[in-house]
Amino acid sequence: MWAALLGLAFSASPAQTWELAPFKDRLFAYPPVLEQRDGGAYRIVDYREQRDINGRDAVPERRAHSRYLSLGIRRLQRDLAVRSEAGSIAHHAVGEAEGAIAITVYLHGQGGNRHQGMNDYSFGGNFNRIKNLMARNGGLYLSPDFSDFGARGAREVAELLSYYTARSPQAPIFIACGSMGGALCWRLARNAKLAPRLGGLLLLGSFPDEGFLTSAAFRRNVPVFFGHGSRDTVFPVETQEALYARIRKVAPGYPVRFVRFETGTHGTPIRMTDWRDTLNWMLTRGVKGRSDSPARFQD
């Protein structure tokens, strides 16, 4: 096991809370925070292209500098397909296929595919980091293909998660959705069978859906993270900020965070979101009733 070989198991407390061990934290930490509100739940982070793209990439937007990468993780990377009632679901998997302590899945946006979430070099090496964070800590990272951003795509993702959670019955599931992939995050949030297993939702440069306020995930207090660039011309930041504010108004104390990357654009949150900081915050909230959840997530 990768975690055992490296001596990087998760840390646990008597209450069974745990966190992901550090991995290149200094390199991937947020730039200076310009402003904080709501007790730190809302942060405006300084983003500068010269520093955060040109200074981080050997070839801007194509190849991160080697110090941001640990390519040995490729030994644990597999390109697979799972047969299910929804058809054959092609996906990449990194880490523990059985007995994982956590599962993180990345759902791409329009024009993407399963390879995007496996690209070590793009987005400043941030996909390489999540691959390493999950595998080094005894977890599993998935990046699937899916047919569309509607009911069929949501069913395929649910079937894929059913397959892996049956093999890791105690693992909370974290779903990260980039751009249009957010449509699947919102659909899966309404899945009453999946909701008890959700550890958190990450919306990265995506769009709002007020239907979340009546979803099964909302009723179970599933943590939500919003990352957004202030100059996103695809999905304006103000619309996502409005949903963040609505959640806080309807449910004071709800576990929701917003990081606004000032001057950032549509792809900035995928590059700049601090995976470890976000997932560890979600892990402190815990997931109740995991072992009692159904093995299949089709409503």
Side-chain angles (χ1 to χ4, degrees), residues 219-254:
R219 291 193 296 271
R220 294 190 66 88
N221 273 10
V222 171
V224 178
F225 171 87
F226 297 107
H228 220 95
S230 69
R231 295 182 181 174
D232 189 332
T233 59
V234 180
F235 299 122
V237 66
E238 293 80 10
T239 61
Q240 201 72 301
E241 287 175 322
L243 178 58
Y244 163 81
R246 178 75 172 145
I247 293 171
R248 287 184 56 85
K249 181 178 180 180
V250 170
Y254 192 92

Side-chain angles (χ1 to χ4, degrees), residues 32 48 61 99 120 127 147 197 264 286:
R48 300 180 188 180
E61 298 187 330
D120 293 297
F127 285 124
S147 298
R197 296 296 299 269

Side-chain angles (χ1 to χ4, degrees), residues 71-123:
L71 299 179
I73 196 65
R74 290 178 171 178
R75 296 197 300 271
L76 299 182
Q77 182 171 314
R78 302 169 299 280
D79 194 358
L80 305 169
V82 164
R83 286 191 171 277
S84 74
E85 292 183 8
S88 180
I89 306 166
H91 63 285
H92 288 287
V94 184
E96 304 292 341
E98 297 185 7
I101 61 168
I103 298 171
T104 298
V105 57
Y106 171 75
L107 305 180
H108 63 76
Q110 193 73 46
N113 54 41
R114 70 185 186 280
H115 306 305
Q116 183 188 65
M118 287 290 130
N119 192 318
D120 293 297
Y121 297 105
S122 64
F123 295 100

Side-chain angles (χ1 to χ4, degrees), residues 195-209:
R197 296 296 299 269
L198 289 178
L201 301 173
L202 295 80
L203 284 299
L204 308 176
S206 192
F207 62 90
D209 182 348

